Amino acid sequence: MIKQITIRLSIILMLFFGIINVANSQYLKRSISRIAEVSIDISTPTAHYQPMFGVGDNNSAIIEAIERFGVLTIDSSGTSNPATYAEEEIILFVLNGTGRINYDQTIMPISQNDFMYIPVGTEFSISNPREKSLKVVVIGFKIFPETQIEPTERLMIANTSEVAFQVLGQHGPTTLFQLLMGTTRSRRDRLAAAYQANSLFIMDFAATGTNIPHKHEREEEIYLILEGEGDIVAGEEPTDSTEIRHPAKAGDAFFFAPSTLIGFYNTTRDGEEHAKILAVRFRYPRQPEN
């Protein structure tokens, strides 16, 4: 009886916080404008971390494969604390600004739309010698115990300007994809670098374009809206499978659990700013690789 009451209470709380809609349709929504800064290991008085999912966020209980997803803002002349994660691989994406990354005692310049892979156990920090602030998305993935990691000495880094746009037929002709990073076995992505992160990519939507709603049975996924606005599909009604849509704009992020219906309808029109989404998809624990 106590166990049943606990389960029911958990479901009620999840409904209240918008964590779950229906069975097999679980999602979380965050808006960066509403997220307070928290102090974590990379924080300093000049490096400010806003947690969207995972570390620093108190309502990420349904997430299993990702350890952290947040925005690190570094003030002019600021720097983050050095960090080393023994059980995480890290992806960084520069939202805006220019700065430097100290990667295993090697300093390299970074700028807007750069993306890079930080292997397990590699120390890194970020600094900003410029006058304007530097904003970086920090994504950490849990390395599963059975994963065999090959050592990587050089920093794997690229910029979105180096990545061609392409149409992926299953998602509709009105969305252009840039395939940024995949696993070490990838033959289609700009960087074949990761172990747990299956795909990091950008979707660029034509006016009133659509990412056709779909599901991933074995993977979790996050959408971060970079520009524009539209309706995110996150789940479906249990009675008639009608799509559940949520208005979304730049700075909003959605986490989708496996088997959740996912999609996007761009509401911008000709002559307006394109809607763009940074997305990352990653393997769910205890599931075999695709």
Side-chain angles (χ1 to χ4, degrees), residues 113-262:
N113 294 327
D114 279 349
F115 54 97
M116 61 213 81
Y117 178 78
I118 309 295
V120 174
T122 302
E123 183 178 87
F124 73 97
S125 62
I126 304 171
S127 60
N128 177 17
R130 304 298 184 182
E131 294 77 20
K132 295 183 179 180
S133 62
L134 171 67
K135 289 185 181 291
V136 180
V137 178
V138 180
I139 317 172
F141 305 90
K142 300 174 184 177
I143 295 294
F144 305 158
E146 72 276 11
T147 305
Q148 298 296 316
I149 305 293
E150 295 293 331
T152 302
E153 294 183 0
R154 65 182 180 88
L155 175 64
M156 301 188 72
I157 182 171
N159 189 276
T160 59
S161 63
E162 305 168 16
V163 184
F165 288 94
Q166 58 183 288
V167 174
L168 300 182
Q170 68 270 32
H171 292 288
T174 58
T175 307
L176 293 177
F177 285 75
Q178 290 178 290
L179 303 179
L180 308 182
M181 187 184 302
T183 68
T184 56
R185 297 183 298 177
S186 173
R187 295 182 179 274
R188 65 173 194 169
D189 299 274
R190 178 62 180 82
L191 296 180
Y195 289 85
Q196 305 302 151
N198 284 347
S199 186
L200 175 76
F201 56 97
I202 285 179
M203 293 180 282
D204 189 317
F205 294 86
T208 66
T210 303
N211 178 21
I212 296 174
H214 57 284
K215 296 180 181 181
H216 298 288
E217 302 298 331
R218 296 180 176 180
E219 296 165 304
E220 298 177 326
E221 190 162 9
I222 291 175
Y223 282 5
L224 172 63
I225 300 180
L226 300 176
E227 300 174 10
E229 58 186 24
D231 291 332
I232 287 280
V233 175
E236 53 198 322
E237 297 290 352
T239 53
D240 57 7
S241 298
T242 301
E243 299 169 358
I244 299 174
R245 299 191 187 185
H246 306 264
K249 61 184 185 302
D252 289 347
F254 285 78
F255 163 84
F256 307 97
S259 300
T260 299
L261 189 67
I262 305 169

Side-chain angles (χ1 to χ4, degrees), residues 98-111 114 116 125-127 129 134 153-158:
T98 57
R100 297 171 181 164
I101 182 167
N102 189 325
Y103 173 90
D104 196 23
Q105 300 182 352
T106 299
I107 297 176
M108 292 188 62
I110 57 175
S111 59
D114 279 349
M116 61 213 81
S125 62
I126 304 171
S127 60
L134 171 67
E153 294 183 0
R154 65 182 180 88
L155 175 64
M156 301 188 72
I157 182 171

Side-chain angles (χ1 to χ4, degrees), residues 256-270:
F256 307 97
S259 300
T260 299
L261 189 67
I262 305 169
F264 182 75
Y265 295 93
N266 180 22
T267 57
T268 59
R269 300 182 179 184
D270 285 329

Side-chain angles (χ1 to χ4, degrees), residues 68-84:
R68 67 191 73 236
F69 187 104
V71 175
L72 179 67
T73 301
I74 302 179
D75 301 335
S76 175
S77 301
T79 186
S80 70
N81 265 330
T84 305

